[in-house]
Amino acid sequence: MAGPTCPERIPDIIDVPVPVMQVPLNKIATIEQTEMTQLQNLGYPVGFSTGIVYNGKQIYTNNLGTINISASEPPTSDTIYDIGSITKIFTSLALEQAVNDGLASYDSTVDEFFNDRNPPAFRVKTLQGIESKITMGMLAAHISGLPRESPDQKFHQDYNITAIFDNINALGLLWPPNSRTHYSNLGVTLIGRSLERIRNTKYEELISQKILNPLGMSSSGFEYTSNIVSKMAVGYAVVAGKLIPSPTNNLPLGFSSPAGGMYSSVNDLSNFLNAIMSPENSEKNLGISQENLRSYVNLGTWEMKDGLSSIGKSTWETFYSNGYEVKTKGGLISGFGASIAYVPQLKLGSVCLINLDSGSFGAGLTALHMDIMIPVITRYLRENSPIPKLPANVQDLLGEYTLGGYMVANVTMSQTAGYLHMNLLNIASVEARWLNDVTSPLGMAFEYRNAADGSCFAEMALGEGVVFLTPEKIIVPDFALSATK
């Protein structure tokens, strides 16, 4: 006999009223003004632009200083800045689109696209002389073993790709593939140049066609036309303690363009953040399925040496703020610094662009945005989100689940209406109301689903895995574990 069906799921996100947001946003504006004053006091009267998005809307912008010291021209949210390595997240999104279209996979190797039949051939060896296969996934996660930089002449549009590949093959690998994390601009460059052959389209045109144009990112691209230059900040470098215009202003990056050759604006990057945080519109906005968009956002990561941050196959890096995993990417190129960050389940994102070659400045401000905004948003959501109805058989889900006489999991209902609490193997303790409940950091929560017979059971997200909970048993596929009451 079928059990009771599940209650209707309620939305994950509700709008936070403007007055609630205004207090933290005012705090951010005050801090940013202090940062601008400190730059000026240090003798760096440059400019920067910031923006914050939430739930599909741009809720904050700020533009301070000047984009051209000699003209004292203030920036706007449409001012164009070079964004350096933030380019990588567009390259990896283009790879995810190719995966979505069945043209490639993360296991596709570079030599599938560069070989003797389609020269130049990619043929790299370890220091021990062992020829190695390098996959797209390794390149994106910076675990290929390749050197950091490309052996090419940067800042030139014309380059000899045969000579470059000869040099790459001669250099070889620093470490065996898949053995350690080593940041490599060359690695991501090879993704972009492989995509050219996969799509039979020049990389720079491909990014415009598949991402920038569909999202209306008209202030983003790679080609420095006179119209773009007229809207662009002058990049400044610090040389011997003095501020000078960067000698590479308005020069294309050449072969290495997929790793850092793009420019953009706060408004354009805000549109991009809103698009990748809206899986319901992924087909329309990005030409990929919701599943592939989630893959791009959540692909498994390799932990970095600091033990606190990590980097994933989608080239996003991560840090933690208020218990939430924040996806981030920074950019540093002569004359410019940039940072972008977001929390997918909160639909909260942040951008900072500066016309000074400082990578830490933007990263510090986007982290500050997260530290200030996350507590305000989650507190409001906890207090104001509608409480979901529990299934009629919720009591049947409670209790101890054992395996071989040992308790594997204990499920209880908290005093707070609507919440279930699970302790799993004494290593994971979860309390939440529904799957990806935004008030539950890391998206670990329950969702009630209908079984084939119409009865209700619970599914719990546990990091990247899931746990299935029924009145009779608990199943943890990643641990190959099944326990019964």
Side-chain angles (χ1 to χ4, degrees):
M1 181 177 176
T5 58
C6 296
E8 183 179 354
R9 180 177 175 173
I10 67 171
D12 291 330
I13 289 285
I14 61 174
D15 272 329
V16 178
V18 172
V20 175
M21 292 289 211
Q22 203 57 57
V23 173
L25 293 178
N26 288 343
K27 181 178 180 180
I28 288 171
T30 299
I31 294 173
E32 290 182 349
Q33 182 59 62
T34 300
E35 292 290 323
M36 185 72 254
T37 301
Q38 289 178 345
L39 285 172
Q40 293 169 339
N41 290 342
L42 289 170
Y44 304 149
V46 294
F48 66 86
S49 301
T50 59
I52 299 174
V53 297
Y54 172 67
N55 200 20
K57 301 173 185 175
Q58 190 177 59
I59 62 171
Y60 173 86
T61 59
N62 197 13
N63 298 280
L64 299 170
T66 179
I67 64 172
N68 188 337
I69 292 175
S70 61
S72 297
E73 183 180 352
T76 72
S77 297
D78 288 315
T79 294
I80 298 172
Y81 299 77
D82 282 339
I83 60 173
S85 285
I86 290 179
T87 307
K88 292 179 174 68
I89 62 177
F90 291 87
T91 302
S92 61
L93 178 56
L95 174 59
E96 189 67 58
Q97 290 174 326
V99 172
N100 180 87
D101 294 344
L103 301 176
S105 77
Y106 283 95
D107 292 324
S108 297
T109 57
V110 180
D111 63 1
E112 291 179 38
F113 314 111
F114 293 93
N115 48 55
D116 291 333
R117 297 185 306 279
N118 298 289
F122 179 80
R123 194 174 289 118
V124 293
K125 297 179 180 179
T126 65
L127 294 175
Q128 292 75 30
I130 302 172
E131 193 165 312
S132 301
K133 297 285 188 180
I134 306 298
T135 68
M136 296 294 110
M138 292 177 188
L139 297 175
H142 298 282
I143 54 174
S144 67
L146 284 165
R148 179 182 177 96
E149 300 299 342
S150 302
D152 67 300
Q153 184 67 43
K154 291 185 176 64
F155 304 112
H156 287 280
Q157 193 74 324
D158 299 322
Y159 52 86
N160 185 326
I161 192 168
T162 299
I164 290 172
F165 270 69
D166 286 344
N167 287 332
I168 293 172
N169 293 337
L171 281 171
L173 301 175
L174 301 178
W175 296 281
N178 215 33
S179 63
R180 67 172 69 185
T181 304
H182 178 71
Y183 195 88
S184 176
N185 289 315
L186 170 58
V188 180
T189 296
L190 290 174
I191 295 176
R193 298 308 169 190
S194 296
L195 286 168
E196 287 184 324
R197 297 194 165 192
I198 291 170
R199 294 284 191 184
N200 196 29
T201 304
K202 186 179 177 183
Y203 165 81
E204 293 80 0
E205 295 175 2
L206 170 65
I207 298 300
S208 293
Q209 292 173 10
K210 302 293 287 185
I211 302 173
L212 305 183
N213 293 345
L215 296 181
M217 297 176 65
S218 59
S219 295
S220 303
F222 301 86
E223 185 179 356
Y224 293 92
T225 65
S226 57
N227 181 50
I228 290 298
V229 171
S230 70
K231 301 174 183 178
M232 195 158 187
V234 175
Y236 291 94
V238 179
V239 179
K242 295 183 179 180
L243 203 62
I244 64 168
S246 169
T248 59
N249 276 333
N250 309 329
L251 290 179
L253 202 54
F255 175 73
S256 297
S257 186
M262 192 170 149
Y263 54 74
S264 192
S265 68
V266 161
N267 279 343
D268 273 10
L269 290 175
S270 295
N271 287 342
F272 174 74
L273 282 174
N274 281 330
I276 64 174
M277 291 190 290
S278 302
E280 66 276 11
N281 296 318
S282 62
E283 292 278 3
K284 173 186 175 183
N285 293 336
L286 300 170
I288 60 176
S289 67
Q290 291 190 36
E291 180 181 356
N292 282 97
L293 180 57
R294 283 192 293 270
S295 172
Y296 169 71
V297 171
N298 293 319
L299 273 170
T301 58
W302 274 62
E303 189 173 287
M304 304 297 279
K305 289 182 180 179
D306 60 12
L308 300 173
S309 55
S310 56
I311 190 164
K313 286 184 181 177
S314 55
T315 68
W316 286 103
E317 298 161 18
T318 61
F319 67 90
Y320 292 88
S321 176
N322 296 278
Y324 285 81
E325 186 178 74
V326 181
K327 310 289 183 179
T328 187
K329 192 74 190 83
L332 174 62
I333 195 165
S334 183
F336 295 92
S339 181
I340 187 171
Y342 71 109
V343 180
Q345 65 263 44
L346 290 180
K347 295 193 174 183
L348 172 68
S350 168
V351 181
C352 178
L353 307 176
I354 185 171
N355 59 334
L356 177 70
D357 54 358
S358 169
S360 60
F361 184 87
L365 278 186
T366 52
L368 173 81
H369 293 169
M370 294 296 163
D371 288 344
I372 291 176
M373 297 304 299
I374 288 174
V376 173
I377 292 172
T378 54
R379 185 184 309 117
Y380 182 87
L381 293 175
R382 286 192 191 100
E383 295 172 352
N384 295 275
S385 294
I387 296 174
K389 294 180 179 178
L390 293 171
N393 66 334
V394 66
Q395 293 293 332
D396 297 334
L397 302 176
L398 308 182
E400 296 181 358
Y401 293 78
T402 60
L403 178 64
Y406 293 95
M407 186 181 75
V408 171
N410 185 34
V411 181
T412 59
M413 185 159 26
S414 69
Q415 296 301 312
T416 308
Y419 281 80
L420 284 183
H421 180 91
M422 172 185 286
N423 182 287
L424 178 65
L425 298 173
N426 289 320
I427 58 173
S429 185
V430 181
E431 180 174 275
R433 292 187 288 191
W434 58 89
L435 191 66
N436 290 330
D437 174 3
V438 295
T439 67
S440 174
L442 306 183
M444 298 195 299
F446 295 94
E447 180 174 29
Y448 303 110
R449 297 183 180 275
N450 290 320
D453 64 359
S455 62
C456 188
F457 68 96
E459 178 180 326
M460 184 187 80
L462 180 61
E464 297 293 330
V466 294
V467 175
F468 299 103
L469 181 67
T470 75
E472 295 83 26
K473 65 176 65 176
I474 185 168
I475 303 170
V476 189
D478 284 356
F479 297 164
L481 181 153
S482 177
T484 58
K485 281 239 183 122

